[in-house]
Amino acid sequence: MRRNGARTRTNGRRLAAVTAGCTALLLAGCAGADDPGAGEASPSASADTAPAVESSCGGGVSVEWLGTPESEDIYTAVTVVRVSGDGGTAVQSEWSRGEDAGARAEGGATEDQEAMVRDAVAGGLLEATEAPAIVETDSLLVDVDKGTYVLYAYAERTTGSATVSCGDGSNAVDADVTSFEEVETGVADCSTSPDPVTEYVAADAITDYCGRA
């Protein structure tokens, strides 16, 4: 059964951010109406464009998504470790999704179009955050008892395609985008049985990976 707790938390954070942004815009509009000295924002301050740092787009770059990006909650790294009575550790198995995040112009793009895609990422119009990994294994295993443990990194993976163009719509190029948002990184005792609803990430990690010890 697919459990959507992590997706709900992620979408909740996004909804809160959108709501806060709308509220801020409404307040800003009211303030502008009361202030006769308020003027229109300059084109360079537009939330729809990013500065052209590497590319030759004089008015910045813009992005239009081709359809709706798809999202999936997945494990991105798993390590099974056996801890001895004296605190020593031995890795029993290790796995990593091994997929890089990024925004990549489709084949045949010019150097300037590839630079436009990089500008869109640098300007925050495209997300390209790498998948979370398991780091500092020892810190995750502090004060644990003898036994076998599964360490995991879990994230929301988003993929989609977008058209990147100069602010005036010229020099357009399509790009494939992959990004990850960390949901949970943790450790679970393979001898326990976490609640499959409220702690489903740890519960599934135990079920799917502890047997590889």
Side-chain angles (χ1 to χ4, degrees):
M1 180 179 68
R2 177 66 176 163
R3 306 178 181 88
N4 293 318
R7 181 69 49 74
T8 300
R9 291 195 298 274
T10 300
N11 290 340
R13 291 196 298 271
R14 290 176 178 165
L15 179 59
V18 171
T19 302
C22 291
T23 302
L25 289 173
L26 289 172
L27 291 175
C30 293
D34 294 335
D35 182 1
E40 294 184 1
S42 66
S44 62
S46 171
D48 298 325
T49 61
V53 178
E54 296 187 48
S55 68
S56 63
C57 293
V61 298
S62 63
V63 168
E64 180 180 357
W65 284 98
L66 303 175
T68 303
E70 297 182 354
S71 294
E72 178 186 15
D73 291 349
I74 57 173
Y75 293 95
T76 57
V78 174
T79 301
V80 180
V81 178
R82 185 167 293 160
V83 180
S84 62
D86 61 3
T89 61
V91 174
Q92 303 300 298
S93 66
E94 219 167 1
W95 172 85
S96 175
R97 184 172 181 84
E99 180 181 10
D100 293 330
R104 301 169 182 84
E106 293 188 352
T110 66
E111 291 184 8
D112 194 49
Q113 287 174 323
E114 292 177 350
M116 289 163 55
V117 174
R118 292 194 295 272
D119 284 343
V121 173
L125 298 183
L126 295 176
E127 291 287 341
T129 304
E130 293 294 340
I134 297 171
V135 296
E136 300 181 0
T137 301
D138 291 343
S139 66
L140 289 172
L141 294 171
V142 171
D143 297 328
V144 301
D145 296 324
K146 177 181 178 181
T148 302
Y149 298 83
V150 56
L151 292 68
Y152 56 84
Y154 191 77
E156 179 183 36
R157 174 181 181 264
T158 301
T159 57
S161 296
T163 298
V164 182
S165 61
C166 291
D168 61 4
S170 65
N171 205 23
V173 62
D174 290 342
D176 295 321
V177 185
T178 300
S179 187
F180 297 85
E181 181 177 352
E182 181 177 327
V183 174
E184 184 177 331
T185 299
V187 57
D189 186 340
C190 288
S191 66
T192 62
S193 300
D195 187 298
V197 175
T198 61
E199 301 175 275
Y200 69 91
V201 179
D204 286 351
I206 290 173
T207 299
D208 295 340
Y209 297 101
C210 281
R212 302 186 184 187

